[in-house]
Amino acid sequence: ILSGDLLGDDSAAVDFNDITRDDNSYHVVEINTNDLTVDGVTIKDGNADATSGDDRFGGGLFKAVAVADFTIKNSVIKNNVAFSGAGLALTTTTSESNMIVDACVIENNLAIAASGIDYHRSGSVGTMNITVTNTLFKSNITDNGAVKNRNGVGAAALRLRAYFTSVTLNADVVNNTFVNNISAGSGGGDYPVVEISRNSGSWGTITVANNIFWSNTENAGALAKAIGRTATNSTRFGNTSASRIVKNNTDEDGLSLITGTTATSSTDPNLDADFKLTAGSTSIDTGDNSLIPADITTDLLFNQRIFNTTVDRGAFEFDPSLGINDVVLRENDIKLYPNPTTSILNIEMTQNLKQVSIYSVLGTAVLRTQNETIDVSNLSNGIFLIKIEDENGNVTTKRFIKN
């Protein structure tokens, strides 16, 4: 867990000009090297509140504009503040860039625009490539920053822009859940949850598929448009084509600013308190398998991405075999150590252990035991999932690394 709250005194609410954040880092993480992967990290409490320069962007994570290729996965990005890109600022100046975001939770970030993720090329002539999959965007907010005289324009979750001349945007936004985001402000535009737009640039291959947009609002609590633009001088991603696919999404507004969508549903997806699908949801088995990127095999919880032959919509796959007791226990109730490990893995828990099952990341069972001290020396090196059941039938799944 990486926190920018250096004094540990942040107030619970995330707000502009909060004096409890005066000590916080402008950026919790800076990426200055090409081809890095950030995996399994919580990044929180950045405060990029400068009035000019790069310290206005990327309170959580700021990627240097010269870095062309970057991946973040299995991470939580929350409680960050910035002018834009409060969670992840991925702006580039390279002729071609490749960004991958997979299986992350991006929540409770605040900015004037693009509170969750901001990605564009700051210059002319180039190609932008981004893939966003299996990610939960929740409770991100854009709003006015009155003290610095900045007006919010929306795109609370995600902003993708081909703004300058001869910039081409290629994007896969597939199997994500967007809930309770607020795109407020008075700066104009559509105040959408997600912005996909161009000005002097152009569209490349864009796929928006298998996503859920629900309970997202804009000013005065009005229903927010799922996809639109933040500035009236930009062109919306407003129609589909052979290379621009918008298919099998759920949005209570019916993706009203886009023409030519396929299999769009405005039926309540019936999400639980953690925004997973519940039994009977119309989002179960109604995605499109062919539009999932080839390397995606698991969902946000490391469960099998396609269960029962057809992928679900959203970041979570519904598996009725998990049962009602498959709940995530409090973080302090179960601890694994050492992690990573070379031979022995210990379980520390407050309840009595019933049984343990260890799986590969592909879902293959490799070891079962009833012991809290486990010899994993015979396992191959890599990441494994450990499913721990206590005497009351409560189940939690964690990860460990075998070196």
Side-chain angles (χ1 to χ4, degrees):
I1 299 174
L2 306 177
S3 174
D5 181 13
L6 305 183
L7 296 180
D9 64 346
D10 282 5
S11 60
V14 177
D15 199 0
F16 294 121
N17 308 299
D18 181 349
I19 60 173
T20 68
R21 293 177 174 266
D22 287 350
D23 61 287
N24 292 35
S25 303
Y26 286 124
H27 321 291
V28 181
V29 175
E30 291 190 27
I31 303 298
N32 294 301
T33 302
N34 230 11
D35 296 318
L36 285 178
T37 295
V38 172
D39 186 355
V41 179
T42 293
I43 301 172
K44 64 178 186 175
D45 306 326
N47 191 40
D49 66 343
T51 57
S52 62
D54 289 342
D55 289 342
R56 296 172 293 167
F57 313 120
L61 182 147
F62 176 83
K63 182 195 69 63
V65 295
V67 172
D69 303 293
F70 173 66
T71 296
I72 184 167
K73 58 185 180 179
N74 310 319
S75 295
V76 177
I77 316 298
K78 66 180 183 179
N79 301 345
N80 300 289
V81 179
F83 171 69
S84 68
L88 303 174
L90 304 180
T91 300
T92 181
T93 56
T94 59
S95 59
E96 182 170 0
S97 60
N98 301 280
M99 304 295 137
I100 297 173
V101 180
D102 179 54
C104 291
V105 177
I106 299 177
E107 64 173 306
N108 202 36
N109 300 289
L110 174 66
I112 305 303
S115 298
I117 301 174
D118 194 14
Y119 177 49
H120 67 276
R121 185 174 192 279
S122 184
S124 301
V125 190
T127 301
M128 301 166 54
N129 306 300
I130 187 168
T131 299
V132 182
T133 51
N134 292 326
T135 292
L136 173 63
F137 294 85
K138 66 174 182 177
S139 304
N140 299 288
I141 301 173
T142 65
D143 206 348
N144 294 334
V147 172
K148 292 184 171 65
N149 196 30
R150 297 167 170 170
N151 293 327
V153 293
L158 172 65
R159 181 166 71 170
L160 310 176
R161 295 188 297 163
Y163 195 84
F164 293 105
T165 304
S166 299
V167 172
T168 300
L169 173 64
N170 300 304
D172 286 326
V173 180
V174 178
N175 274 110
N176 304 288
T177 299
F178 301 86
V179 288
N180 295 341
N181 300 286
I182 302 173
S183 294
S186 58
D190 300 321
Y191 303 103
V193 183
V194 172
E195 175 176 12
I196 304 177
S197 69
R198 65 180 179 85
N199 189 315
S200 299
S202 61
W203 312 127
T205 300
I206 297 178
T207 300
V208 180
N210 305 345
N211 300 291
I212 294 173
F213 298 86
W214 207 259
S215 296
N216 301 293
T217 57
E218 49 131 298
N219 292 292
L223 185 64
K225 303 298 182 183
I227 299 174
R229 61 185 178 180
T230 59
T232 55
N233 67 339
S234 294
T235 300
R236 295 187 188 102
F237 178 69
N239 62 291
T240 62
S241 69
S243 60
R244 300 192 298 274
I245 299 170
V246 182
K247 189 174 182 182
N248 296 65
N249 298 284
T250 295
D251 171 40
E252 54 196 317
D253 183 53
L255 292 170
S256 61
L257 295 181
I258 302 177
T259 59
T261 69
T262 302
T264 298
S265 172
S266 56
T267 302
D268 191 334
N270 292 321
L271 306 179
D272 67 14
D274 297 317
F275 310 109
K276 299 189 295 290
L277 300 177
T278 57
S281 170
T282 56
S283 292
I284 296 173
D285 296 342
T286 57
D288 188 321
N289 295 359
S290 68
L291 300 177
I292 304 172
D295 59 341
I296 299 299
T297 59
T298 56
D299 70 357
L300 179 54
L301 291 179
F302 293 98
N303 294 320
Q304 191 174 326
R305 180 62 272 190
I306 300 176
F307 179 83
N308 195 29
T309 72
T310 304
V311 70
D312 298 343
R313 302 184 185 195
F316 303 99
E317 192 78 3
F318 180 76
D319 183 349
S321 68
L322 295 177
I324 60 174
N325 287 324
D326 284 85
V327 296
V328 178
L329 301 179
R330 293 188 301 275
E331 191 67 29
N332 290 332
D333 283 344
I334 296 180
K335 296 179 181 178
L336 302 178
Y337 67 92
N339 187 11
T341 182
T342 57
S343 57
I344 299 299
L345 182 69
N346 298 289
I347 301 173
E348 180 182 310
M349 55 192 297
T350 56
Q351 303 296 320
N352 292 324
L353 176 67
K354 180 179 180 181
Q355 64 180 2
V356 172
S357 299
I358 295 178
Y359 300 87
S360 73
V361 291
L362 297 179
T364 302
V366 295
L367 192 155
R368 287 190 171 90
T369 182
Q370 295 177 322
N371 297 321
E372 294 183 3
T373 299
I374 308 168
D375 184 354
V376 296
S377 59
N378 290 328
L379 298 181
S380 59
N381 292 346
I383 298 174
F384 291 86
L385 309 181
I386 182 167
K387 198 170 188 177
I388 303 166
E389 183 177 357
D390 69 21
E391 61 183 350
N392 298 315
N394 296 313
V395 178
T396 189
T397 301
K398 289 179 173 288
R399 291 181 305 156
F400 71 91
I401 298 173
K402 164 61 170 49
N403 284 338

